[in-house]
Amino acid sequence: MAILLDGKNVAQSIKDGLRRDVLSLKKEGRGAPVLACVAVGKDPASAVYIRSQDAAARDLGIEYRLISFGEDITQEGLVSEIRGLNTDKGIHAVMIQSPLPKHLDIGKLVGFILPAKDAEGIHPENLGRLFLGQGKIAPPTAAACMELLRHSGVKLFGKEAVVVGHSNIVGKPLSLMLLKEFATTTVCHIATSEAGKLRDHVARAEILIVAVGQAQLVKGSWIKEGAVVLDVGINRAGGRIVGDVEFDEAQKRAAYITPVPGGVGPLTVTMLMRNTVELFKG
Ligand code: NDP
């Protein structure tokens, strides 16, 4: 039976360190880091994330400012608000809560955030640094996965790592971070599935990370014996939250596995806070 990688546990020691950092910055007279979250409309899932960001920030002594707009705000209007946050010396980190209404282009909006205030590490300049292996700020979910792997104690050097999903916030940055640790990294996506090759790739994975958003897409029977399995997916199915991996079967084969909920999720918000503190320190 697999050992559970408990995100809350791993987050705890990182949070203790951040709390101490923030306290000593305040004692030095530098004030508290301030994270501004730009949100548009009333998406119910976003409201849950916003509450958890607010609670995490409060817990660590970080100031969290929610800047909300109605769905009628235009792309130009939002760009001008972001520019205002960039020049505001009292704001140290900025993020845009997704999803945004369809008329707003998050990919383009992120490019207007000052790279030095980019809390999610998704500005092209920060992603470029990550590509070059020089990134100080990484997208929080990808960073959370790397922390869980570190916590497992499993060495990545020379391991077969398979990432399922190639989004800009999870799969792609994570594949670069695995590469930096010398894992032999394969990235799968929709075409892998459509070509009928997903199962074969999963079956080779010594390190498997799935970030797709489809309930139990990866069957437990596909998992290699002794693999480390990180399930990023959050899906509502049958009145409960499930991941992208068929957990009950997968835990019989894996050496380590994250539960959903309680695995990657609780660490993601901690990584956002860590980025905020790093940006504040400059
Ligand atoms: P996106 O929708 O942006 O990306 C999903 C990726 O999965 C795409 O690259 C897509 O490929 C790929 N994909 C879709 N269907 C298949 C398939 N059948 N086989 C293989 N690949 C497929 O999602 P995110 O990366 O933002 O999020 C993924 C999941 O992780 C979601 O459930 C989300 O809720 C969750 N999440 C959890 C977080 C946490 O903290 N735990 C944080 C962020 C996200 P293509 O583009 O080629 O179609």
Side-chain angles (χ1 to χ4, degrees):
M1 218 45 140
I3 295 171
L4 280 191
L5 292 170
D6 180 336
K8 276 198 185 134
N9 252 346
V10 180
Q12 205 50 56
S13 63
I14 298 170
K15 283 202 279 190
D16 290 344
L18 287 174
R19 215 176 279 114
R20 278 195 299 274
D21 269 10
V22 172
L23 202 62
S24 62
L25 287 164
K26 285 181 183 169
K27 279 187 185 151
E28 285 166 22
R30 294 184 59 185
V34 179
L35 167 64
C37 174
V38 175
V40 181
K42 290 195 176 351
D43 178 67
S46 293
V48 175
Y49 292 128
I50 286 167
R51 274 200 299 277
S52 81
Q53 288 156 12
D54 190 15
R58 217 182 279 268
D59 175 39
L60 301 175
I62 293 169
E63 200 182 309
Y64 182 76
R65 284 202 205 143
L66 177 64
I67 302 168
S68 303
F69 299 97
E71 298 219 358
D72 55 346
I73 190 158
T74 60
Q75 178 91 1
E76 295 69 32
L78 216 46
V79 168
S80 142
E81 296 292 343
I82 292 167
R83 287 203 163 114
L85 294 170
N86 286 343
T87 52
D88 184 340
K89 288 201 167 60
I91 302 279
H92 311 103
V94 177
M95 62 169 288
I96 303 170
Q97 182 61 48
S98 61
L100 291 178
K102 285 204 167 55
H103 67 282
L104 299 170
D105 183 340
I106 187 141
K108 288 200 176 128
L109 286 165
V110 162
F112 287 95
I113 298 175
L114 203 66
K117 291 194 178 187
D118 171 25
E120 294 189 287
I122 51 178
H123 183 283
E125 190 175 313
N126 285 323
L127 287 175
R129 287 184 199 281
L130 198 71
F131 176 90
L132 295 169
Q134 302 165 348
K136 199 168 71 166
I137 298 296
T141 311
C145 290
M146 294 306 288
E147 284 298 332
L148 285 163
L149 291 174
R150 239 187 300 281
H151 180 80
S152 76
V154 171
K155 296 276 171 282
L156 299 178
F157 193 91
K159 288 273 164 43
E160 288 287 334
V162 174
V163 180
V164 187
H166 65 160
S167 71
N168 291 338
I169 62 164
V170 192
K172 273 187 207 160
L174 185 58
S175 65
L176 294 171
M177 293 164 94
L178 288 164
L179 213 50
K180 191 173 180 222
E181 300 299 323
F182 286 92
T184 306
T185 306
T186 304
V187 184
C188 301
H189 39 67
I190 190 69
T192 319
S193 276
E194 286 180 4
K197 294 176 181 165
L198 186 61
R199 181 188 183 139
D200 289 347
H201 285 291
V202 168
R204 283 192 295 103
E206 297 171 290
I207 311 288
L208 174 70
I209 299 141
V210 189
V212 166
Q214 280 187 31
Q216 303 180 336
L217 171 79
V218 170
K219 304 301 167 213
S221 60
W222 300 358
I223 307 287
K224 187 180 178 75
E225 290 281 348
V228 182
V229 178
L230 305 187
D231 188 350
V232 180
I234 301 173
N235 312 286
R236 267 162 238 280
R240 61 192 187 110
I241 304 283
V242 297
D244 291 344
V245 178
E246 197 185 36
F247 181 84
D248 290 346
E249 279 308 305
Q251 70 167 338
K252 294 179 190 161
R253 303 174 66 85
Y256 295 89
I257 192 166
T258 54
V260 177
V264 180
L267 250 186
T268 296
V269 66
T270 306
M271 294 297 105
L272 176 69
M273 298 303 144
R274 186 167 78 179
N275 282 353
T276 300
V277 174
E278 283 302 316
L279 294 173
F280 179 69
K281 285 183 187 165

